[in-house]
Amino acid sequence: EYMIFRDIQKLLDATVVCGVELLDNTIEQGFASDLMSDVLTLRNNQIVLLTGLCNIQTIRTAEMADIRYLILVRGKIATEDMIELAKENDMIILQTAYSMFRAVGLLWTSGMKPLY
């Protein structure tokens, strides 16, 4: 079942940091990790990545994996460098105060499928 990113934003009470033009896009699967080495092993780029790792390497890793949808959990705040690079790569970044566990649970119970 696909979810509209705008609905994800509402579900997670999240702030859109950049990529507001992508809010009407749909996504089916999610992946949650703070280990960017795990993200680089993914074979599916049509996912939303939930992470608490908040630095420029997060955006660079997502760029290398062709992931355009990011959710920063645990109240993490994207830096200006992160936002600039995300905009250059047509990415959307959401920020939520929710823990990764809570965010994943809410997405799961709303129909999002895990990548694995």
Side-chain angles (χ1 to χ4, degrees):
E1 180 178 321
Y2 287 91
M3 293 184 73
I4 298 169
F5 220 76
R6 183 178 309 281
D7 295 337
I8 293 171
Q9 180 214 354
K10 291 175 187 169
L11 181 70
L12 300 181
D13 193 24
T15 303
V16 181
V17 177
C18 67
V20 68
E21 67 279 2
L22 300 174
L23 279 175
D24 291 320
N25 289 11
T26 58
I27 200 82
E28 184 178 20
Q29 295 179 307
F31 185 78
S33 182
D34 286 344
L35 294 173
M36 293 300 106
S37 57
D38 286 352
V39 175
L40 288 173
T41 67
L42 302 179
R43 301 196 187 280
N44 182 341
N45 60 3
Q46 295 302 308
I47 62 167
V48 58
L49 172 62
L50 290 89
T51 187
L53 188 64
C54 188
N55 61 44
I56 195 73
Q57 284 308 113
T58 304
I59 306 301
R60 292 196 192 287
T61 302
E63 176 187 12
M64 288 172 40
D66 289 325
I67 295 171
R68 297 177 62 202
Y69 307 96
L70 297 166
I71 300 173
L72 298 176
V73 297
R74 300 193 300 265
K76 301 294 179 156
I77 306 292
T79 66
E80 287 303 317
D81 287 346
M82 291 174 67
I83 295 167
E84 186 177 317
L85 187 57
K87 286 179 180 177
E88 288 174 16
N89 287 283
D90 296 317
M91 293 177 184
I92 185 170
I93 299 176
L94 299 183
Q95 296 173 165
T96 182
Y98 294 174
S99 68
M100 190 178 310
F101 185 83
R102 182 175 182 188
V104 168
L106 287 168
L107 291 171
W108 170 265
T109 58
S110 296
M112 183 172 283
K113 294 177 179 65
L115 185 56
Y116 300 124

